[in-house]
């Protein structure tokens, strides 16, 4: 069974404790449980990882880049939190692993918020972006990764 990584960045461990208007009432544990059950439905083994440290997120992307190359991983759903708007290092990590499909996911619609949230360093390196669907966005991102993988497989069989 292929693995899928659900990667969450800084402060997402605080989900459900404050700012419910922006992020809803679900906790990070709720989000991770949702992803695990979505994984069961899609036939994927789900690993969830959250860190407030940029380097730990980068190390995890590298690990999954290696796993993807040997066929052990389908991809990664990544909510980089506020590092979205600041981190060239995360952009470079995703580009650097060369191949691992990463879907950038934001709970809130960042484009309807403050101007500083409108730019993402991660988006140009991402395979896709899901924004503003609340925590259901994680499920949509997982389904998108599966569809992309199936599309890639069927493209290959036609070549
Ligand atoms: O909408 C998203 O998912 C964000 O990635 C969330 C980040 C924010 O900086 C991005 O612009 C958009 C913030 C994550 C912190 O979430 C908290 C949740 C509850 C209480 C405090 C922070």
């Amino acid at each position: 069974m292929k693995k899928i990584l659900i990667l969450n960045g800084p402060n997402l461990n605080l989900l459900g404790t404050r700012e419910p208007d922006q992020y809803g009432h679900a906790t990070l544990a709720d989000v991770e449980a949702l992803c695990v059950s979505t994984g069961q439905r899609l036939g994927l083994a789900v690993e969830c990882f959250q860190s407030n440290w940029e380097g730990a997120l980068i190390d995890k992307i590298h690990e999954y880049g290696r796993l993807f190359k040997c066929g052990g991983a389908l991809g990664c759903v990544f909510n980089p939190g506020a590092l979205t708007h600041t981190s060239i290092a995360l952009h470079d990590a995703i580009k650097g692993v060369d191949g691992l499909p990463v879907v950038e996911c934001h709970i809130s619609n960042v484009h309807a918020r403050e101007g500083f949230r409108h730019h993402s360093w991660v988006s140009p390196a991402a395979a896709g972006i899901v924004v503003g669907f609340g925590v259901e966005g994680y499920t949509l991102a997982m389904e998108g990764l599966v569809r992309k993988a199936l599309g890639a497989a069927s493209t290959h069989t036609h070549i």
Side-chain angles (χ1 to χ4, degrees):
M1 191 182 281
K2 287 205 192 215
K3 292 180 79 173
I4 187 167
L5 175 65
I6 309 300
L7 187 59
N8 280 295
N11 297 311
L12 284 154
N13 54 315
L14 299 177
L15 270 184
T17 64
R18 283 194 295 116
E19 302 192 54
D21 294 349
Q22 208 63 253
Y23 303 118
H25 290 282
T27 64
L28 181 62
D30 294 333
V31 171
E32 292 181 346
L34 171 70
C35 292
V36 168
S37 79
T38 302
Q40 280 164 354
R41 176 166 60 79
L42 296 173
L44 293 166
V46 174
E47 178 178 355
C48 299
F49 183 80
Q50 186 274 334
S51 181
N52 295 321
W53 295 85
E54 189 176 29
L57 299 169
I58 291 169
D59 285 346
K60 206 69 190 169
I61 291 165
H62 291 176
E63 179 190 326
Y64 265 73
R66 291 190 294 273
L67 201 56
F68 179 79
K69 279 213 162 58
C70 67
L74 182 86
C76 169
V77 174
F78 187 20
N79 185 344
L83 289 174
T84 306
H85 319 298
T86 62
S87 178
I88 298 170
L90 285 174
H91 170 106
D92 287 350
I94 298 166
K95 286 276 192 191
V97 295
D98 187 28
L100 175 75
V102 174
V103 175
E104 178 183 348
C105 177
H106 296 287
I107 298 165
S108 63
N109 178 359
V110 285
H111 298 288
R113 299 180 63 189
E114 305 96 320
F116 64 82
R117 296 186 203 274
H118 297 179
H119 180 262
S120 166
W121 289 103
V122 172
S123 295
I129 306 162
V130 176
V131 165
F133 286 94
V135 298
E136 294 296 328
Y138 288 83
T139 297
L140 297 173
M142 291 173 74
E143 289 171 351
L145 274 171
V146 169
R147 282 168 183 254
K148 260 191 189 283
L150 291 174
S154 71
T155 304
H156 290 312
T157 55
H158 289 296
I159 290 172

